[in-house]
């Protein structure tokens, strides 16, 4: 059965995802503002305590996916701590400036994850910036990545169906998880491609109970995981 992964930012979101029928969550911080950054250790521990399977995003900054050796070293150290905090998987990605997979950096991140046991590794939407996603998928299979998260390089996974289909057809042994602007109504078409999982944030905005002031950012509201959207996604998978 196609798995359902929900991107969440806190334990409350994980509770909502679990209640709606998610198989696992990707935990990150600053999702809407940045596309997601590494969560805190305390948030990982508290999210693991909800009982849902937690995969932690590892990304030190917003922007592109070409990293310095120093940035990779920090992310590798983060991975060790995140796994120790209970993460069952990590979500990583690194490219060269020509759009090819940074094999050396990716291998370092995988090694950091696997030194603590059978930890799953997902290569995130850096794949959508790859010059040749099918070739990149083959490289990632050789490196030992378990799955990729991708919209097929398009604005949404639904719009990227042709590339997603090619990734599935490549039959590399790497799971293909469709994500990026996914709505419950899109899920049937994505499942028909043969993807192994679908990924969505299922988020809603709620009023901020306090003023952000001049130093709190410009968010119009607080993002929360909507259990009704998660449940709708679960029904679409059935």
């Amino acid at each position: 059965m196609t798995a359902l992964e929900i991107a969440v930012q806190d334990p409350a979101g994980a509770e909502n995802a679990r209640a709606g029928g998610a198989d696992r969550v990707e935990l990150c911080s600053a999702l809407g503002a940045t596309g997601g950054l590494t969560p805190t250790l305390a948030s990982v521990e508290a999210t693991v305590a909800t009982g849902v399977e937690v995969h932690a995003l590892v990304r030190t900054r917003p922007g592109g996916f070409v990293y310095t050796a120093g940035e990779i070293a920090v992310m590798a150290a983060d991975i060790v701590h995140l796994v120790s905090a209970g993460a069952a998987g990590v979500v990583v990605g690194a490219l060269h400036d020509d759009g090819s997979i940074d094999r050396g950096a990716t291998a370092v991140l995988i090694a950091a994850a696997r030194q603590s046991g059978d930890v799953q590794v997902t290569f995130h939407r850096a794949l959508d910036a790859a010059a040749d996603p099918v070739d990149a998928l083959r490289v990632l299979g050789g490196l030992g990545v378990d799955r990729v998260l991708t919209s097929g390089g398009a604005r949404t996974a639904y719009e990227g169906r042709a590339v997603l289909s090619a990734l599935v057809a490549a039959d590399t042994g790497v799971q293909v998880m469709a994500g990026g602007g996914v709505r419950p109504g899109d899920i049937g078409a994505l499942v028909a491609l043969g993807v192994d999982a679908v990924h969505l944030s299922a988020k809603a905005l709620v009023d901020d109970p306090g003023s952000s002031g001049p130093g709190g950012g410009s968010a119009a509201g607080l993002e929360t995981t909507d259990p009704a959207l998660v449940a709708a996604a679960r029904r679409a998978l059935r």
Side-chain angles (χ1 to χ4, degrees):
M1 189 174 187
T2 309
L4 176 62
E5 179 178 286
I6 302 297
V8 304
Q9 301 185 81
D10 51 37
E15 292 275 16
N16 288 346
R18 185 184 184 195
D23 295 296
R24 61 178 179 258
V25 299
E26 179 197 61
L27 179 66
C28 63
S29 63
L31 178 59
T34 68
L37 299 175
T38 307
T40 67
L41 294 179
S43 68
V44 173
E45 291 170 344
T47 303
V48 168
T50 69
V52 72
E53 182 177 311
V54 177
H55 293 214
L57 179 65
V58 184
R59 186 173 175 233
T60 55
R61 57 163 173 78
F65 307 104
V66 178
Y67 296 108
T68 66
E71 289 174 316
I72 293 298
V74 169
M75 286 191 279
D78 275 336
I79 287 170
V80 173
H81 294 305
L82 293 164
V83 172
S84 295
V90 294
V91 185
V92 302
L95 301 174
H96 290 300
D97 58 9
D98 64 358
S100 62
I101 299 295
D102 187 335
R103 298 177 190 231
T106 304
V108 167
L109 299 176
I110 293 171
R114 299 271 164 76
Q115 74 179 43
S116 300
D118 187 21
V119 176
Q120 297 180 50
V121 177
T122 299
F123 193 90
H124 56 48
R125 292 186 62 191
L127 187 70
D128 293 328
D132 184 334
V134 174
D135 180 65
L137 188 68
R138 295 192 179 101
V139 170
L140 294 170
L143 289 169
V145 166
D146 295 292
R147 72 180 58 83
V148 294
L149 170 61
T150 175
S151 66
R155 185 180 61 88
T156 69
Y158 185 82
E159 293 171 2
R161 297 189 308 284
V163 173
L164 288 169
S165 181
L167 293 171
V168 171
D171 194 22
T172 62
V174 179
Q175 295 178 28
V176 177
M177 178 163 56
V182 173
R183 299 169 298 179
D186 302 329
I187 288 176
L190 296 172
V191 170
L193 301 175
V195 299
D196 300 280
V198 293
H199 167 107
L200 62 157
S201 62
K203 68 183 178 183
L205 286 178
V206 297
D207 290 337
D208 189 336
S211 171
S212 64
S218 58
L222 301 179
E223 295 176 351
T224 184
T225 303
D226 186 342
L229 282 176
V230 179
R234 181 82 268 171
R235 289 194 298 272
L237 283 172
R238 293 181 181 135

